[in-house]
Amino acid sequence: MRQEHSYSTEAIILKRSDLGEADRILTLFTPYKGKFHAIAKGIRRPISKKAGHIELLSHCQLHVAVGRNLDIVTQAEGIENFLHVRSDLWHMTCGFYLAELVDRFLEEHTPHHEVYNLLLEALRALDTDAVELQQQRAEGTLAAGQEHGRTQLLLRHFEIYLLSYIGYEPVLRTCAHCYTELQPVENGFTPALGGALCPNCSHLWTQSLSMNALKVLRLLQRTEWARVPRLRLDARLHAELEATMHALLRFHLERDLKSWSFLEMLR
Ligand SMILES: [Zn+2]
């Protein structure tokens, strides 16, 4: 059987760290080989031709040689650079957060085509949002307090879909304990039970879940991002949605994510 010595793949760069004087280890996310680490040699030399194409979050086309331990990136060409995401600290931090989520939740060398597309679409949405925000700022039409509302919803949407695709879909229709249909009242939420709980099961609640928060989470869960309406939610509801999803993510990961504190500072 002929051994494969090299291959081409598209990839999104999830993470990178320096190695030695001029090399980098990249965490790549690819549609057919999933997540894995590869070396980019000489990438930190000023004359490197690959450098510009393999920035964090870049969507690129790579040629990769099979290595003894780690594979080696031999050629890189940019497909999408998400320049507007990079030019704005908030959007960039949101992008890094999505990459961190994917990196933390996915096992190596396991293809996750749906998650790959989800990440790509979310990065595109972030880029579009960054452009719109710049325009609104220039025109002076930006509504007070709504600057980050759309992207905060995008993060929640991504979190719900990511969890669903990897088998942890949040329970938001029926009570996660007694399975009765949830009513439009104040319900509860318990990450360890996988989602929302009805008032009858309030002895099992770890936090309450307002009627509006449940409505928004359900809407996000059943709607592809492009069709999610432009909701104007107040800061309190955004905070509740975030706290609810973070509690669920924290339960599955058994830790906080690094980006959370940055996002909180910038919000
Ligand atoms: Zn119940």
Side-chain angles (χ1 to χ4, degrees):
M1 200 174 76
R2 194 177 142 266
Q3 197 71 18
E4 192 188 28
H5 293 297
S6 69
Y7 55 93
S8 284
T9 180
E10 63 172 86
I12 302 169
I13 316 291
L14 295 182
K15 209 164 121 183
R16 52 178 208 185
S17 49
D18 293 347
L19 177 74
E21 298 240 316
D23 304 342
R24 270 202 176 114
I25 293 188
L26 305 173
T27 307
L28 304 176
F29 187 32
T30 65
Y32 301 104
K33 288 174 181 277
K35 181 187 90 169
F36 62 93
H37 295 94
I39 301 181
K41 287 190 189 255
I43 195 76
R44 283 152 61 213
R45 295 212 173 89
I47 51 158
S48 169
K49 281 184 190 148
K50 294 188 286 264
H53 305 304
I54 45 185
E55 298 285 334
L56 269 177
L57 305 181
S58 292
H59 175 211
C60 43
Q61 184 68 37
L62 304 177
H63 201 73
V64 183
V66 176
R68 200 177 300 166
N69 296 313
L70 291 176
D71 290 357
I72 301 155
V73 175
T74 53
Q75 281 173 48
E77 229 174 288
I79 302 174
E80 289 166 281
N81 213 356
F82 306 115
L83 275 178
H84 301 99
V85 173
R86 280 165 215 292
S87 64
D88 180 279
L89 188 57
W90 163 257
H91 289 85
M92 193 167 68
T93 310
C94 288
F96 290 166
Y97 171 52
L98 302 183
E100 190 188 2
L101 271 177
V102 169
D103 187 30
R104 289 259 185 259
F105 271 103
L106 265 47
E107 300 282 331
E108 276 192 51
H109 302 292
T110 313
H112 279 283
H113 211 99
E114 282 172 320
V115 177
Y116 184 83
N117 288 333
L118 180 71
L119 180 59
L120 205 50
E121 288 302 324
L123 290 172
R124 286 172 183 153
L126 267 181
D127 209 63
T128 308
D129 190 76
V131 174
E132 279 178 15
L133 216 57
Q134 274 173 16
Q135 280 170 352
Q136 286 171 357
R137 273 197 197 113
E139 293 161 3
T141 52
L142 192 63
Q146 294 298 324
E147 207 177 356
H148 296 154
R150 186 77 182 155
T151 40
Q152 279 178 285
L153 274 186
L154 176 68
L155 300 186
R156 303 296 85 80
H157 185 270
F158 186 89
E159 291 161 348
I160 292 173
Y161 272 72
L162 175 66
L163 287 175
S164 302
Y165 286 153
I166 59 175
Y168 299 133
E169 182 166 26
V171 180
L172 299 168
R173 310 273 149 195
T174 56
C175 172
H177 182 64
C178 72
Y179 309 115
T180 53
E181 200 172 322
L182 293 171
Q183 301 303 313
V185 294
E186 188 189 62
N187 288 283
F189 194 84
T190 301
L193 293 174
L197 295 168
C198 75
N200 284 333
C201 297
S202 63
H203 58 290
L204 295 169
W205 295 6
T206 52
Q207 60 204 84
S208 63
L209 184 66
S210 70
M211 191 178 79
N212 283 336
L214 180 64
K215 272 189 192 163
V216 175
L217 291 176
R218 283 178 166 194
L219 173 78
L220 294 177
Q221 188 178 38
R222 62 165 183 251
T223 316
E224 61 176 288
W225 176 250
R227 294 178 185 278
V228 171
R230 295 190 168 260
L231 306 169
R232 289 203 167 186
L233 313 179
D234 62 31
R236 231 174 99 179
L237 186 51
H238 273 303
E240 185 186 356
L241 293 166
E242 183 185 70
T244 305
M245 288 310 298
H246 283 190
L248 194 55
L249 295 165
R250 187 183 293 116
F251 170 75
H252 288 302
L253 287 174
E254 298 177 342
R255 61 195 291 178
D256 285 13
L257 280 102
K258 270 195 287 179
S259 316
W260 284 351
S261 48
F262 293 114
L263 288 169
E264 202 179 319
M265 274 187 320
L266 296 169
R267 192 172 54 209

